[in-house]
Amino acid sequence: MHFELNQDQKLLWKMIREFAEEEVAPGAEHRDKHRLFPKEIFDKLAKLGLLGLPFPEEYGGGGADTISFCIVVEELSRACGSTGITYSAHVSLGGAPIHLFGTKEQKEKYLTPLCTGEYLGAFGLTEPNAGSDAGGTRTTARKDGGEWVINGNKCYITNASYAKNLALTAVTGEKDGKKEITAFIVPTDAPGFSVIDNYEKMGLHASNTTELVLEDVRVPEENILGKRGEGFKQFLITLDGGRIGIGAMAVGIAQAAYEKALKYAKERVQFGQAISKFQAIQHKLADMAMNIELARLMVYKAAWLKDQGRKFTKEASMAKLFASEMCMQVCNQAVQIHGGNGYMRDYHVERYFRDAKLLEIGEGTSEIQRNIIAREIGC
């Protein structure tokens, strides 16, 4: 197994690097400061055919592999973390569950518009009382004739303001003393469905993070995604793939922070020489470069295993855990290398630092990743 990119991947990397530098990076600071969602960027990504990149061509997708998806997430995140997380969530949380568990009819109806960029994808799992303990879901769905009536709340949901429907979990009964959790595809404009966008966040200000409130929302039986009672299992499988996206995002943000720090170290003169000449700074930069490279290879390995149809739960958790913690460390050191300037908005590294923190929390905290890895190695 080796990770030299193939010709298609190299071409994609060149194209998305140019796009990110020309279209995404220039407005990143302004969007973050004013909390402006990058809608026009996603319209352009749709025209480039990238919103359905890893999904089958028959549904308007690009038929590409997971490594290609990682390349796009990394490059978008290197330019703007908010754009990176929006793209990653659209594909790995919005589109993936429908691709993995949907019927042919559901894919035609719901996956195709996601691939063509008619709207963005979102995914409703987290609740006020069900974060790391996703099995603690309290949202309920009860059968009423040929329909299901859904009541409950979801929180910290990415992209929901720009989605026309999303997959979410609800308790549909009890089986063997345990909650029976089922996934449903729910239109966001259904009566009783509210999407509330009023969170004030530490970082990723230009991404859309919402609360969902469902009050007697009715959906037909055909809107069950996959099989009744398998919603929790389906969403865990979805999260395995999503963690690869978070890993790629961490690599991108870390790469941006490292590049800024390296450039600054070469230009900043103290005690009569560039600070890059001081061994203390050199060691910081060497560690950054090494850890970014390690994280990238871990992300690519998890993606490669996924593409081979092999088990990748452990590798996805390892990649997500290592890359997110590495990213936080790299951004911290990038601020340190910049000194007082690093604390100021004009130098960008404080934004990378704020954006990086979520990666140790979202799609399973670092603590949960260690639990998963421990389970996978047989503890």
Side-chain angles (χ1 to χ4, degrees), residues 294-349:
L294 280 170
R296 183 178 289 113
L297 289 171
M298 292 177 79
V299 170
Y300 282 9
K301 181 183 178 184
W304 181 85
L305 287 170
K306 183 173 187 284
D307 288 334
Q308 299 298 311
R310 288 163 60 176
K311 191 163 163 47
F312 66 97
T313 297
K314 179 185 73 177
E315 288 77 9
S317 279
M318 285 180 168
K320 192 268 187 191
L321 173 63
F322 182 79
S324 61
E325 293 192 346
M326 172 281 299
C327 182
M328 199 65 206
Q329 290 164 6
V330 166
C331 292
N332 182 29
Q333 291 300 331
V335 172
Q336 191 71 18
I337 287 169
H338 279 74
N341 289 333
Y343 208 68
M344 303 299 154
R345 264 192 176 271
D346 290 349
Y347 288 81
H348 298 271
V349 286

Side-chain angles (χ1 to χ4, degrees), residues 133-189:
D133 178 18
T137 298
R138 292 187 183 177
T139 296
T140 61
R142 77 180 160 77
K143 195 78 180 287
D144 182 26
E147 294 182 313
W148 288 88
V149 184
I150 307 174
N151 283 280
N153 289 68
K154 300 288 180 179
C155 61
Y156 311 141
I157 307 304
T158 305
N159 296 347
S161 297
Y162 298 89
K164 286 193 178 173
N165 51 71
L166 50 83
L168 57 80
T169 47
V171 179
T172 48
E174 205 171 277
K175 204 172 184 182
D176 304 324
K178 291 182 179 177
K179 287 178 181 176
E180 177 191 77
I181 297 176
T182 303
F184 294 88
I185 302 171
V186 184
T188 55
D189 62 355

Side-chain angles (χ1 to χ4, degrees), residues 236 239-247 316-317 320 363-364 368-369 372:
L236 290 181
L239 285 171
D240 281 345
R243 285 170 186 144
I244 295 174
I246 294 287
S317 279
K320 192 268 187 191
E363 299 205 31
I368 291 294
Q369 301 314 315
I372 293 167

